Amino acid sequence: MSGNGFLVLCVAGLAAYMGMSWERARRALFDVRTGRRRVDGLRQAANRERFHAYLIVIASVAAIFMIARYR
């Protein structure tokens, strides 16, 4: 497998992981809105998951940029 093919597979894997993390963050945020008493814990979990999703997006964009620039 060529290097570009491997990088594309890695970016696709990161995108799938980001989608799962974002969905967990969204669910945690909506749990807060339902009025549960665990508001602080759920908000922290949502923020943590959202932060992880942003990191994954930034890493994916950087990888795509590096592929496009140094090709």
Side-chain angles (χ1 to χ4, degrees):
M1 176 180 293
S2 69
N4 287 341
F6 181 71
L7 286 173
V8 168
L9 287 177
C10 290
V11 169
L14 284 172
Y17 178 76
M18 184 209 58
M20 291 184 304
S21 296
W22 192 263
E23 180 63 21
R24 284 193 305 259
R26 187 188 64 78
R27 284 185 190 160
L29 184 63
F30 284 124
D31 284 347
V32 169
R33 292 182 182 166
T34 60
R36 294 185 183 198
R37 294 295 171 203
R38 301 174 301 167
V39 171
D40 289 333
L42 291 173
R43 189 170 292 145
Q44 287 175 355
N47 287 335
R48 184 173 49 249
E49 291 289 339
R50 195 174 298 116
F51 175 72
H52 289 187
Y54 288 139
L55 283 178
I56 292 168
V57 168
I58 290 169
S60 299
V61 169
I64 291 171
F65 174 76
M66 296 300 259
I67 291 169
R69 180 172 174 125
Y70 295 109
R71 218 181 138 191

